Structure formats: C-alpha cells, structure tokens
Amino acid sequence: MLIPTVDPATIGFDVPFVEYLEIAAAAGFRAVEFSIEHARSFVQAHSARDLAALTRRLNIELAQFTCGTGVPSNVSVSAGEFEQSVRRWQDNCAFAATLGCRRASVLVNSAKGNGYEEDGLTLTAGELHDRLRLLCDHASAHGITVAVEFVDAEMIALAGEIVGGAGRDNLGLLLDTYGLHKVSDPLAYVAALPQGTIVWLHLADTVVERSQPPGEYVKPLRVLPGQGNLPLGAIVEALRRQHGYRGYASVEVYGSTIMAHQPFGRRADLAAASLFEGALRSWFVSA
C-alpha cells in the first residue's frame, strides 16, 4: 500500500494553512506536502504544540516541506542567490525538525531560476553535486531526507547517476510521473533506476494535444492521475515490484488551472478519487 498524499498546488497555493489541512484530511489524504513558511506563520501565531494537536485531531501527517530554500526552491540559480537559499534552508530544516517533519524537497530546473527576475542556469555535474551535498549536510544535522526533483529532460535521464554521484545517504529522487513524458520508455526508465534511489513520488498524468504538428514538441497538460496517457498503473506496479517502494504518493497538479472553477474542497475530493477509484485503487484501498 502507498500513503495517499497531496501537494499544495493541487488544492491551491492560496488556501489558508489550517483550511488546507482540514480539506486534505476530509478528502481522505493521510499526509500532505506543505509550505514551511505557512507552518512557521501558524506556529508564530499559536504554538508548535497547537499544530501537533491539530494534525493529531485531523489524523494527517506533515510529511514533506516544500520551498525550503525559497520559492520555487530551485538549486539552479546564481551563486549569490544560492548563498541566500542555503541560509533559509538551514533555518527551515531546523524548524521542520521541531515539527517532527523529516523530509524536504528541492528542484533542479535550469529554465526557471528563482522564478522571478532571474533566469535559470545550467550547472555542471560538479557544481550540482557540490550544491546538493551542501543542502544534504545541513539537512542531515536535523535528520532530514532531501528529495530532489529534476525538470530538464537531460537531468531526468541522468537522475540515478546524479543522486548516486552526490554520495549522501539522505539524498534521494523525487520521481514526478508527469516528467516521464520526456523519456522514450517510462517503464524501462523506472526499471533502470538504481535500487533505493526513489524517496518520494509525485503522481500526475499527461494529456498531449492531438493537433500538435508532427515532430514538434508541445508541452503536455498536467492532469489528475487516470485522466491522461501515461501507463500509471504499470509504473506504480514497477515501483513496487522492482524498487520495493511503499512510501508517499502525492497528487500534484495545478488545481488553479485545471480545476479553476471548483471550490478547494472539491479539488481535494477529485484528487483523492484519482487514487481511491479507478486504475490505482488497489495501491491505496485495502481489499
């Protein structure tokens, strides 16, 4: 069985923190990815004890914090931006540990930079390893595992080598099934990943426009699991059989885009239904 989890993007980044937890729990999710800054604001206004009581009452786990180096938590930024990111990262890892959260995610996306005024950059393998090692060393001091997600097709292809080459036991791959549209054979790709590499799973499907010109790349739409073209059932089965993966499976789509007219609670319900019903049901619902 996998742990049904949801990402903030699915319900909405603008949902108040407590409402986000309540909505996720009501939909049937047992864990959430969450903004570390939203959690910090809650604790500053209330207390860590109050947050622990809230999650116990809702029976939901604060499983992995996102944007720990800033927004969008991208490692592929300038040296100056990365220095600032590391300072934020240290503080956020220490704070997350006080909440009992032992997982954090970071992104490697050469196209986005810091998401605002700065363009991304392509790091050499050595530069990327150095940055990942530094983040992992700071995280390790607080018992935190780092899940790294790659967006560039070239990085996705080399993900197993990059993670292994960093040489840190608390570093693993965040496998986003949406990104598998960038590889020629998703099942072969998953099978080839070294054992123990995957520490977190993002679940999303893809829809490719049939009208796109032959040979021209058009970015697919990210949709809920089961609504697109990916063989998600076979991919999840391969993760289970070949990698022994029994961890978190987090629905990550952009609810404000594909479910723009749906209220937040309905977005969560639809996301939960994509796990508890249909092709993926057997991995989330006991017989």
Side-chain angles (χ1 to χ4, degrees):
M1 302 291 286
L2 299 176
I3 303 168
T5 309
V6 68
D7 183 274
T10 302
I11 299 175
F13 290 116
D14 53 343
V15 183
F17 182 63
V18 173
E19 185 179 354
Y20 170 62
L21 298 182
E22 291 174 339
I23 287 172
F29 291 105
R30 297 278 61 85
V32 294
E33 296 179 75
F34 66 100
S35 163
I36 194 72
E37 293 304 329
H38 289 177
R40 189 189 301 277
S41 294
F42 179 93
V43 169
Q44 289 172 344
H46 304 279
S47 70
R49 180 175 295 180
D50 286 338
L51 181 53
L54 174 64
T55 56
R56 282 197 302 271
R57 176 172 64 81
L58 297 175
N59 190 28
I60 200 159
E61 178 188 359
L62 299 176
Q64 178 166 274
F65 72 86
T66 63
C67 299
T69 66
V71 179
S73 201
N74 191 3
V75 177
S76 293
V77 292
S78 68
E81 180 71 26
F82 185 68
E83 287 181 12
Q84 296 179 40
S85 296
V86 171
R87 288 194 291 272
R88 289 190 292 266
W89 177 255
Q90 290 175 279
D91 290 342
N92 288 331
C93 285
F95 173 65
T98 69
L99 304 180
C101 176
R102 302 297 178 182
R103 297 171 188 81
S105 64
V106 295
L107 187 70
V108 178
N109 184 352
S110 66
K112 289 293 185 183
N114 64 9
Y116 301 107
E117 71 281 355
E118 181 181 280
D119 292 332
L121 54 87
T122 301
L123 301 171
T124 66
E127 290 170 333
L128 180 54
H129 278 150
D130 286 345
R131 292 187 177 193
L132 290 175
R133 288 177 187 130
L134 183 59
L135 294 176
C136 285
D137 289 345
H138 288 307
S140 179
H142 303 284
I144 289 175
T145 294
V146 181
V148 58
E149 178 181 0
F150 300 102
V151 175
D152 306 81
E154 297 81 3
M155 294 287 188
I156 290 174
L158 298 172
E161 296 176 34
I162 295 170
V163 170
R168 292 296 185 270
D169 291 339
N170 66 324
L171 177 66
L173 176 64
L174 188 162
L175 179 65
D176 184 350
T177 59
Y178 173 82
L180 296 180
H181 78 270
K182 298 178 181 179
V183 303
S184 58
D185 187 337
L187 290 175
Y189 172 84
V190 169
L193 287 169
Q195 290 288 321
T197 298
I198 302 164
V199 297
W200 193 270
L201 179 64
H202 272 168
L203 283 175
D205 217 326
T206 63
V207 171
V208 179
E209 294 292 337
R210 295 182 181 276
S211 59
Q212 71 183 61
E216 181 177 324
Y217 174 77
V218 176
K219 185 178 180 179
L221 183 66
R222 180 189 284 264
V223 296
L224 289 169
Q227 294 185 355
N229 313 109
L230 287 173
L232 286 181
I235 290 169
V236 172
E237 177 64 14
L239 289 170
R240 186 181 71 83
R241 288 186 178 276
Q242 297 168 19
H243 293 274
Y245 188 78
R246 297 289 192 280
Y248 300 87
S250 182
V251 180
E252 188 201 37
V253 297
Y254 301 114
S256 60
T257 300
I258 67 168
M259 297 182 284
H261 301 297
Q262 298 286 358
F264 297 138
R266 180 59 177 160
R267 294 178 190 178
D269 289 340
L270 290 170
S274 74
L275 303 184
F276 302 139
E277 303 171 11
L280 299 179
R281 184 179 186 276
S282 62
W283 287 282
F284 295 98
V285 178
S286 299

